[in-house]
Amino acid sequence: MHKEQFQFLLHFFKALADESRLKIVGILANQDCSVEELAVLLQLKEPTVSHHLMKLKELELVSMHPEGNTHFYRLESEILQNLSKKVFTTEKIASLVESFDSDVWANRVLQNYTEGEEPAQSLKEIPASRKKRLVILQWLVSKFEQEVQYPESIVNEVIKRYHSDCATLRRELIASQLMQRENGVYWRK
């Protein structure tokens, strides 16, 4: 997401993160109102309502139109709908964290569940959490070469370098589809 889009979203959410402004948007979604009407409905002073309307006008969510000596405000629902279509998609929301480093969490899990340094690193325990266990299994499967077929005895030997419960970890590698097995032969998927 571009920096200006990100700043707009930040400004948008800050503007709507106010109870009175949200109520104003709700009221204006039903009908056009003057500052005086909004002040009575919200039990606020008119200058306070004008301040909130100004914040909403900056986002172009609210527009003003005069009728005689009175100014009426209306919700620009098309702006809200267009914003929803353009910004509130899964892809756009996901792009809010472009610089997010997904390896940070995995590295923390490895740090918590392993001890020692490579090549003598070992697994302290098998995590109970499925998500953490998957991080450990991905680390463990990296100890096997791609496109190499291993007999079960070698798989056990490699796993035992890192943890004594080779049977559980071997089954977990198969169950998580990180390795495949056929006739006692294993390989990385």
Side-chain angles (χ1 to χ4, degrees):
M1 179 172 285
H2 298 292
K3 185 174 179 153
E4 56 273 357
Q5 288 175 316
F6 186 84
Q7 290 301 317
F8 173 78
L9 262 186
L10 194 57
H11 187 63
F12 175 83
F13 284 118
K14 281 181 180 179
L16 290 181
D18 181 274
E19 182 180 353
S20 296
R21 287 186 210 130
L22 278 176
K23 287 180 179 179
I24 289 171
V25 168
I27 291 168
L28 295 178
N30 292 313
Q31 65 186 32
D32 293 1
C33 287
S34 67
V35 171
E36 181 183 8
E37 290 172 312
L38 288 168
V40 169
L41 291 170
L42 296 169
Q43 299 176 353
L44 296 172
K45 295 182 178 177
E46 289 182 29
T48 303
V49 171
S50 293
H51 168 77
H52 289 309
L53 286 167
M54 181 186 72
K55 294 287 187 187
L56 295 171
K57 279 180 67 175
E58 287 174 5
L59 295 170
E60 299 177 354
L61 287 176
V62 169
S63 64
M64 186 264 303
H65 59 94
E67 284 186 22
N69 292 336
T70 307
H71 294 106
F72 285 90
Y73 291 85
R74 95 168 23 113
L75 178 67
E76 293 298 333
S77 55
E78 283 184 32
I79 298 289
L80 201 55
Q81 289 168 354
N82 289 337
L83 182 66
S84 177
K85 288 176 187 173
K86 286 173 42 180
V87 176
F88 298 113
T89 64
T90 304
E91 296 80 22
K92 289 288 186 178
I93 296 297
S95 73
L96 292 173
V97 287
E98 289 173 0
S99 62
F100 175 68
D101 185 2
S102 59
D103 290 337
V104 171
W105 187 80
N107 291 338
R108 176 61 61 93
V109 170
L110 284 172
Q111 184 180 27
N112 290 338
Y113 284 91
T114 60
E115 57 190 359
E117 297 295 323
E118 286 288 351
Q121 195 171 18
S122 64
L123 182 59
K124 292 188 255 185
E125 64 179 296
I126 300 170
S129 159
R130 193 176 79 213
K131 194 170 180 182
K132 290 177 182 177
R133 190 170 47 244
L134 184 58
V135 170
I136 295 300
L137 293 171
Q138 289 169 336
W139 166 78
L140 189 57
V141 81
S142 73
K143 309 306 178 189
F144 295 91
E145 292 183 38
Q146 291 277 9
E147 299 178 22
V148 174
Q149 294 187 345
Y150 297 92
E152 189 170 298
S153 60
I154 299 296
V155 171
N156 289 342
E157 187 180 309
V158 171
I159 293 173
K160 280 183 181 179
R161 291 182 206 151
Y162 303 98
H163 195 272
S164 61
D165 192 353
C166 61
T168 298
L169 289 168
R170 192 180 64 242
R171 280 192 302 271
E172 290 283 340
L173 286 167
I174 299 299
S176 63
Q177 299 183 354
L178 293 170
M179 290 189 92
Q180 288 187 315
R181 173 186 64 204
E182 190 174 309
N183 299 325
V185 177
Y186 294 75
W187 63 93
R188 278 180 69 171
K189 195 164 178 187

